[in-house]
Amino acid sequence: MKYDNERISDISLFFLLSAAITEVGVLEMPRLFAESVGRDLWLVPLLMIPVLLLSLYLFCLLGKRFPDETVFEYGPRLLGRPFAQVLFAVLIAYWFLVTGRMMRDFADVVRLTLLSLTPAEVIIGSMLVSATYLVRKGLEPISRAATIIILITVPIGLGITMLTYIKTSPVMNMRPVLAHGPWKVLKEGVRGVGLVEQLSAFFVFFPFLSKPEKAWRTAAISVVITILLFANVTFSTLAVFGPVELVHVRLPALSAVQTVEQPFIFIESLSSFYVATWIAQMFITIAFMLWLIATGIQKWLGHRDHIGLATPALPIIYLISLSPANVAALDKLIRIQENCGVFIHLILPLILLIAVRRRRKPEQTNKQQGREDGDS
């Protein structure tokens, strides 16, 4: 049964996906890309776009084949029950890992910028409890909140980012292009699909869309626009710090904004506005991931609804978020998650589509034999 507060339109899908994806390392990913490819880091978001569109296309092919089912419902028919159960466990574990990592990022940023004396445990707990309240209301209220937040925060964040170009230009730091060859950049562009964790929601999304036939176009536009905004952040950090210094900056995007702050005038606290927009978007991202975990568990266990399943997930997310001992351990967790994401966003949909094709062949053969027997 589908409830009104669990159905969203294509416009709501656009804003929800935009709000959720905006979290994708907008503050610190430029540093990780600089560590991998140096001054060519600006190419990585641009190369991510075609890979992300390919992943979306694979998900939408699955959604077109099973518009009224989630992977938890059609998976056993395609892979067999034992393999499907393993897949479901991996998928739920991945969502827990992603949400826990996000919460740790959130706590670290808030402590570094706003609440330096507040324990991380308090920050994480407060966000999880607040997001759980929205999750209990359903997917449609989450999407409405995402629409409001995106319409307010994206223009503010984009305007603040553009101010960083006043003092410098990224052109000098971009050259020479591909001085060490294209392979590292191509590899990072493909791996980047693993950082857009919210794509895995399309294993569950389609039964909750009022117009599933528009999912491909809507999601593609949302992903392209959001990654281009992220590319703009990458350009600005490269312009301000250069590829060498960028590697040693904990939060490059925020530090770049701080370089254009001026005392005694209205742009004295630009970084505070910038962090505020990020926190608002993070709230939607965390709520969305909690909804995804609760809905996945609901479909897996066959419960009537997801309302009571978000709260039991909080202690697990809390413990995962506190597990990295330092920044290096957190970066390692991000890289592990990135590799898992490549499998889940590219390889797994392809496996399921191959299983669909193999399953259709015997059905077509049986139908053809039935027609031949009828003719005879």
Side-chain angles (χ1 to χ4, degrees), residues 38 46-47 57 113 273 373:
L46 303 180
L47 292 173
Y57 183 69
T113 57
F273 284 102
D373 293 340

Side-chain angles (χ1 to χ4, degrees), residues 9-253:
S9 66
D10 53 320
I11 300 298
S12 296
L13 172 64
F14 173 85
F15 285 106
L16 178 60
L17 203 56
S18 298
I21 294 177
T22 303
E23 178 278 334
V24 182
V26 68
L27 295 183
E28 59 182 335
M29 277 303 110
R31 172 176 59 86
L32 297 178
F33 288 157
E35 290 176 357
S36 301
V37 298
R39 68 177 68 251
D40 292 322
L41 69 113
W42 63 276
L43 290 171
V44 176
L46 303 180
L47 292 173
M48 285 172 59
I49 291 176
V51 184
L52 288 169
L53 292 179
L54 172 61
S55 176
L56 270 176
Y57 183 69
L58 296 176
F59 278 118
C60 288
L61 287 179
L62 281 172
K64 185 178 180 180
R65 184 69 177 84
F66 306 102
D68 298 318
E69 295 179 294
T70 69
V71 70
F72 296 93
E73 293 157 312
Y74 63 74
R77 298 202 304 273
L78 297 181
L79 302 176
R81 188 169 181 79
F83 287 107
Q85 295 302 313
V86 174
L87 164 63
F88 301 158
V90 169
L91 203 53
I92 296 295
Y94 173 73
W95 290 335
F96 271 111
L97 177 67
V98 166
T99 310
R101 193 274 305 164
M102 288 179 180
M103 286 308 312
R104 179 56 178 269
D105 271 339
F106 173 77
D108 287 352
V109 171
V110 170
R111 295 192 70 209
L112 284 171
T113 57
L114 300 176
L115 304 173
S116 59
L117 300 180
T118 304
E121 294 83 353
V122 174
I123 297 172
I124 292 170
S126 301
M127 172 60 93
L128 287 175
V129 171
S130 302
T132 301
Y133 174 79
L134 186 57
V135 171
R136 292 175 65 87
K137 298 297 181 180
L139 183 62
E140 198 273 336
I142 297 175
S143 69
R144 277 192 280 119
T147 302
I148 296 170
I149 286 174
I150 284 294
L151 291 176
I152 295 174
T153 60
V154 168
I156 295 174
L158 179 60
I160 293 174
T161 302
M162 297 305 293
L163 290 175
T164 61
Y165 294 113
I166 293 176
K167 292 185 177 181
T168 184
S169 168
V171 176
M172 294 303 297
N173 290 327
M174 291 164 56
R175 297 181 295 184
V177 179
L178 299 177
H180 301 288
W183 301 116
K184 281 188 176 182
V185 180
L186 289 172
K187 179 182 177 182
E188 199 66 27
V190 173
R191 289 178 63 186
V193 71
L195 296 173
V196 188
E197 307 96 348
Q198 294 75 17
L199 285 184
S200 58
F202 281 93
F203 279 126
V204 176
F205 246 159
F206 282 92
F208 300 93
L209 301 179
S210 60
K211 297 179 180 178
E213 69 277 3
K214 294 186 177 181
W216 158 247
R217 183 184 65 182
T218 303
I221 294 173
S222 175
V223 166
V224 170
I225 292 176
T226 306
I227 298 301
L228 287 177
L229 290 173
F230 175 56
N232 182 51
V233 174
T234 305
F235 279 117
S236 73
T237 55
L238 183 61
V240 172
F241 299 111
V244 177
E245 185 180 353
L246 185 56
V247 174
H248 305 288
V249 181
R250 174 72 175 88
L251 300 172

